[in-house]
Amino acid sequence: MITDLGHPAFAVQDVERTLAFYAKLGLREAFRLHHEDGSLMLVYLHVAGDRFIEVFPGGPDPDPERAQSFMHLCLLTDDLRATVERLREAGVKMERGVERGLDGNLQAWVHDPDGNAIELMQLEEDSPQRRAARRGMMPR
């Protein structure tokens, strides 16, 4: 059913400062997605293989006492429609059914019992994530 962790997603106060920090850890920008109006939606940082970190603009001021920029957990599946059907049969309420995201991948959304958002994603072969992974965007 679930095959891997896709990405954590964080809302950050200063995207460029965050990218500079992760670059020091060897994680580089893989690609950006933009809203229809051209404004930045998110930046993907490549970790390894099909694993990424999503960085969204518009996050809160940093507070060293409490992490507060977590947005969602992404879990990968190789058959999203079958996964969603199994979850529905098990009584799990889907927040959003299967849709194609801006990156071309299929996604669906649920919340865990504590209200944390979980994105279920099926990566398409021509998605920017797969293309970045094939380019060998390994950490430097």
Side-chain angles (χ1 to χ4, degrees), residues 12 30 33 50 58 83 88 90 95 100 104-105 117 134:
V12 302
L33 297 178
D50 290 337
T83 298
R88 285 183 171 142
E95 296 300 321
R100 190 161 303 279
N105 295 309
R134 283 194 298 270

Side-chain angles (χ1 to χ4, degrees), residues 121-134:
M121 179 183 277
Q122 179 179 324
L123 291 175
E124 299 294 336
E125 283 306 313
D126 62 344
S127 71
Q129 292 92 334
R130 294 267 194 217
R131 287 193 311 266
R134 283 194 298 270

Side-chain angles (χ1 to χ4, degrees), residues 45-56:
L45 299 175
H46 187 239
V47 177
D50 290 337
R51 283 163 298 290
F52 296 85
I53 296 172
E54 284 183 345
V55 177
F56 287 78

Side-chain angles (χ1 to χ4, degrees), residues 3-4 9-10 21 23-24 33 45 58 63 65-66 75 77 79 81-82 94 97-98 102 106 113 118 140:
T3 60
D4 206 343
F10 298 96
F21 169 79
K24 292 175 185 175
L33 297 178
L45 299 175
D63 180 352
E65 299 298 316
R66 177 169 144 13
L75 298 174
T77 179
D79 187 344
R81 285 178 171 53
M94 301 302 301
V98 177
L102 186 60
L106 295 179
I118 299 173
R140 294 179 189 144

Side-chain angles (χ1 to χ4, degrees), residues 11-48:
V12 302
Q13 182 192 41
D14 183 327
V15 170
E16 296 308 319
R17 184 177 67 204
T18 298
L19 296 179
F21 169 79
Y22 280 102
K24 292 175 185 175
L25 298 177
L27 303 180
R28 306 277 184 227
E29 180 176 328
F31 61 91
R32 293 178 181 222
L33 297 178
H34 295 84
H35 295 286
E36 287 184 20
D37 67 4
S39 64
L40 181 65
M41 178 180 172
L42 64 94
V43 178
Y44 262 80
L45 299 175
H46 187 239
V47 177

